[in-house]
Amino acid sequence: MRKQIAAANWKMNKTLSEGKQLLNDILTSIPSLSDHQEVLFSVPFPYLIQANEIVAGKKNIHIAAQNCHHKTSGAFTGEVSVDMLTSIGVAHCIVGHSERREYFAESNAMLADKVNLCLSASITPIFCCGEPLSIREQGSQNNFVEVQLNESLFHLNAEDLKKVVIAYEPIWAIGTGKTASSEQAQEMHAHIRAVIASKYGNDLANDVSVLYGGSVKASNAKEIFSQPDVDGGLVGGASLIADEFLAVIKALK
Ligand code: 13P
């Protein structure tokens, strides 16, 4: 069975002490996770080492980075490489979040490099895809997401693709309080799985976890996660409130 994942994305929020408090509040009340369930906390770079120490030894709970650079090393002031992440024991990294695509001009080709580097460093990429509102309004979202997958993931061989987690995050639903309906989420997730199946076969398509992101919170997680092709969520705002994120974790299948 593919993994069901609740992934927090703190983005650029919380001081160190606030973050520690949040993490501890969640860990104090977190339900025990089944083998097929996983909880990730994508925290800002400066907190990765300490956050990793806090979750050390806890079953299926991991710390993730929110980004990495697309080159291995060198004169890239302010950037963080996959080897740096590996060297501090971080084994998960968000790649291609729409905020990075928009504000830092990350292209599909650059994201293919990031995915490759993550995999070569044994880091699980949580690859984000999703369409802006204008594309949704034209009804071209399936094709838009397919191009993102094609240009950033489908060069991988089956063994590597299997290691990737995909997060579908429609941009119009991020931080807007406007969630995709569970039908809209299911439709896109089924499409993503069908596209993977057409290139890599059904078995592999059924093994890849596809998370939904965009205004997931306590009140809607259960319904969204109950969709057959939705394998959990990548959660922004609601992951900053302990009770909200705990409810999201409890909504995992
Ligand atoms: P919100 O949950 O705040 O809409 O953010 C979603 C997101 O971008 C997670 O990566």
Side-chain angles (χ1 to χ4, degrees):
M1 185 183 184
R2 57 182 179 258
K3 278 191 190 142
Q4 304 295 308
I5 302 170
N9 179 8
W10 289 6
K11 308 190 180 182
M12 196 174 72
N13 291 294
K14 302 285 176 192
T15 61
L16 178 61
S17 63
E18 290 167 350
K20 274 187 180 166
Q21 179 78 49
L22 173 62
L23 202 48
N24 284 322
D25 287 350
I26 293 168
L27 293 176
T28 305
S29 305
I30 201 165
S32 72
L33 300 171
S34 307
D35 288 343
H36 71 279
Q37 295 175 327
E38 199 165 82
V39 172
L40 302 176
F41 294 95
S42 317
V43 307
F45 284 134
Y47 313 156
L48 285 171
I49 294 178
Q50 289 188 53
N52 229 0
E53 282 165 4
I54 293 172
V55 304
K58 299 202 184 298
K59 184 184 168 188
N60 293 354
I61 302 178
H62 305 289
I63 299 301
Q66 296 176 11
N67 179 37
C68 61
H69 198 251
H70 60 285
K71 300 278 187 200
T72 49
S73 65
F76 301 104
T77 302
E79 293 295 326
V80 172
S81 73
V82 292
D83 284 350
M84 293 175 191
L85 296 177
T86 306
S87 73
I88 58 167
V90 169
H92 296 79
C93 183
I94 296 175
V95 170
H97 192 280
S98 59
E99 288 148 17
R100 301 240 22 122
R101 293 174 185 263
E102 182 177 353
Y103 306 134
F104 302 92
E106 296 193 352
S107 65
N108 290 340
M110 184 194 290
L111 297 175
D113 290 341
K114 292 193 186 205
V115 167
N116 292 344
L117 284 175
C118 282
L119 292 170
S120 70
S122 299
I123 290 173
T124 300
I126 298 131
F127 176 79
C128 301
C129 56
E131 79 287 354
L133 185 60
S134 57
I135 295 288
R136 170 66 61 170
E137 282 172 348
Q138 288 165 24
S140 317
Q141 64 274 10
N142 284 3
N143 185 52
F144 186 90
V145 168
E146 202 170 324
V147 170
Q148 291 179 320
L149 300 176
N150 246 320
E151 295 186 0
S152 301
L153 292 185
F154 289 164
H155 60 284
L156 297 173
N157 62 33
E159 198 189 326
D160 276 343
L161 187 74
K162 209 169 157 171
K163 297 173 187 158
V164 176
V165 171
I166 295 175
Y168 168 60
E169 298 206 310
I171 297 170
W172 46 273
I174 294 178
T176 56
K178 210 176 179 189
T179 323
S181 66
S182 47
E183 292 78 22
Q184 284 172 321
Q186 168 56 26
E187 194 176 60
M188 178 59 82
H189 283 229
H191 175 64
I192 291 171
R193 222 178 282 292
V195 173
I196 298 172
S198 73
K199 314 235 176 231
Y200 294 89
N202 275 326
D203 286 355
L204 196 147
N206 281 325
D207 266 358
V208 175
S209 298
V210 186
L211 317 186
Y212 167 79
S215 301
V216 173
K217 47 185 185 257
S219 59
N220 59 25
K222 191 111 204 152
E223 151 129 37
I224 296 172
F225 296 175
S226 70
Q227 297 301 313
D229 286 299
V230 177
D231 305 314
L234 180 55
V235 188
S239 77
L240 301 172
I241 303 161
D243 286 345
E244 283 283 321
F245 193 57
L246 281 164
V248 171
I249 295 169
K250 288 177 190 152
L252 285 175
K253 288 193 283 253

